[in-house]
Amino acid sequence: MATSAMSATRWAKLLVLVLPLAVSTGCAAADDVENTAQSGAPATSEVVVDGLDAPWSVAFHDTTALVSERDSARILELDGTGGAREVAVIEGVAPAGEGGLLGIAVHDDHLYAYYTAADENRIDRFELTGEPGALGLGAPERVFDGIPAAGNHNGGRIAFGPDGMLYATTGDAGDRQNAQDLESPGGKILRLTPDGGIPEDNPFPASPVYSLGHRNAQGIAWAGDGTMYASEFGQDTWDELNVIEPGGNYGWPEVEGIAEQDDFIDPVQQWSPQDASPSGIAVVGDVILIASLRGERLREVPLADLTTSTEHLVGEHGRLRDVVLAPDGSTWVMTNNTDGRGAPGPDDDRILRVAID
């Protein structure tokens, strides 16, 4: 483990500020607050790569795309002509249910990987070696560990913010109270230094917690003005799009969706799970794009009006796990039909280059 990294157990012992738990038991606002989406202009797509096995995340090393596969624990390098080669298999990954090799990110010539081990979720980093077409990974270096793990609700999205810090979404791992417990890293968005330390300006002293009260957030992105957004899976009633504030409490499990209670920050938009189940998100120009699994659609939310949305690709490609802005300015969308919950076609899973008119 890196000497600057801090496990969940160590930071819990150092925690000096405790946030009182809310006592409200509200679930959601009335049905009339559900946002109504409009059908968008036709979108065209072309295949970047196919034949992937339960892919979860895509990140770029300069202009070279790297992809994680959840169950095989493989990191793949795309060659730009439809081919993919295995860079490495991440050791210690214990895939089960929704767990496995999840989010990846690249920073300062290192690959960061969030994965489910036998009894916890972890973040490791690896030096990227070699040149495009022959990339490799160095020895693993532990960045953070002790994140609760289960067959579902593992969170798993990681990304570097405009401040150069590493952000990670974690799920409640099926234990709802994790989300409101500041001594647990579960049900949170964490903020870490690149080597796993705790930034001095984090909202809670000696804690990696940046925001709390999350059930299973799986998408984070930033607008040009630095505003942070996150997508989140709800329970049975509402999935959410949230504006993330440092130290903010987003309510789970006390509330789900828009509750209009002073103790919690409401989402700016919510959807029924059958129309959403949002995973990866990206800010592209002046809109937020959200990949939906169960909803099998790409949702577009204008930054100028966060309460509205437009739907694209509805039912055209099945489950959508991730959406990213590629270095050439194009939008890539990752399907997820081989994850055990979809109906895979003969070429699934795929990454598509999508153009929206």
Side-chain angles (χ1 to χ4, degrees):
M1 180 183 298
T3 57
S4 56
M6 182 171 291
S7 71
T9 302
R10 289 180 58 199
W11 71 255
K13 292 179 179 179
L14 294 174
L15 193 63
V16 296
L17 178 63
V18 177
L19 187 71
L21 295 182
V23 297
S24 167
T25 58
C27 292
D31 289 347
D32 60 5
V33 301
E34 182 179 5
N35 300 95
T36 301
Q38 299 179 346
S39 296
T44 60
S45 61
E46 60 178 319
V47 176
V48 175
V49 65
D50 59 18
L52 302 175
D53 180 13
W56 212 91
S57 181
V58 58
F60 292 92
H61 176 46
D62 295 326
T63 60
T64 300
L66 299 170
V67 175
S68 65
E69 289 186 334
R70 187 191 68 187
D71 298 339
S72 70
R74 295 195 303 168
I75 299 293
L76 303 178
E77 174 187 2
L78 306 190
D79 64 13
T81 64
R85 60 171 291 270
E86 181 181 300
V87 174
V89 176
I90 304 299
E91 295 184 4
V93 177
E98 297 174 3
L101 177 57
L102 304 178
I104 58 174
V106 174
H107 181 73
D108 286 346
D109 295 327
H110 283 78
L111 176 76
Y112 288 70
Y114 183 117
Y115 66 92
T116 310
D119 57 359
E120 64 179 1
N121 284 300
R122 303 169 178 167
I123 303 171
D124 284 356
R125 69 176 178 181
F126 309 79
E127 182 183 4
L128 282 159
T129 62
E131 300 296 328
L135 290 175
L137 298 184
E141 182 181 6
R142 185 63 38 82
V143 173
F144 195 80
D145 56 18
I147 302 168
N152 52 21
H153 304 188
N154 289 293
R157 194 69 61 186
I158 57 176
F160 280 86
D163 56 1
M165 297 297 153
L166 174 63
Y167 292 77
T169 70
T170 70
D172 68 9
D175 184 347
R176 296 182 174 196
Q177 297 310 312
N178 281 336
Q180 290 293 327
D181 181 1
L182 272 175
E183 295 190 357
S184 170
K188 310 294 192 303
I189 294 177
L190 308 180
R191 179 175 183 258
L192 304 164
T193 65
D195 62 3
I198 295 175
E200 293 183 358
D201 58 347
N202 268 11
F204 304 110
S207 168
V209 174
Y210 192 69
S211 62
L212 67 155
H214 300 288
R215 179 176 178 269
N216 191 23
Q218 285 192 3
I220 47 177
W222 290 262
D225 64 0
T227 302
M228 183 180 181
Y229 300 92
S231 61
E232 182 165 345
F233 288 81
Q235 175 71 19
D236 300 311
T237 311
W238 301 119
D239 293 335
E240 302 177 353
L241 174 65
N242 288 296
V243 177
I244 302 301
E245 301 176 10
N249 188 332
Y250 291 81
W252 179 255
E254 308 302 329
V255 298
E256 181 182 356
I258 297 172
E260 298 180 342
Q261 297 188 20
D262 292 342
D263 293 326
F264 307 118
I265 299 174
D266 280 339
V268 293
Q269 192 164 160
Q270 63 185 20
W271 317 279
S272 298
Q274 65 265 25
D275 296 327
S277 298
S279 191
I281 70 174
V283 174
V284 178
D286 58 0
V287 302
I288 305 167
L289 297 178
I290 307 169
S292 296
L293 290 162
R294 185 176 171 189
E296 298 187 352
R297 66 199 68 189
L298 183 68
R299 183 170 273 107
E300 174 186 337
V301 177
L303 293 172
D305 186 356
L306 296 171
T307 66
T308 63
S309 64
T310 303
E311 297 176 343
H312 305 280
L313 306 176
V314 180
E316 294 183 20
H317 302 290
R319 294 160 60 82
L320 305 182
R321 171 66 71 180
D322 200 9
V323 54
V324 296
L325 180 64
D328 64 1
S330 63
T331 299
W332 289 15
V333 174
M334 173 186 286
T335 72
N336 213 193
N337 296 312
T338 58
D339 69 345
R341 294 186 175 181
D347 297 325
D348 279 328
D349 267 310
R350 297 167 290 161
I351 293 176
L352 307 170
R353 183 180 291 107
V354 175
I356 300 172
D357 295 333

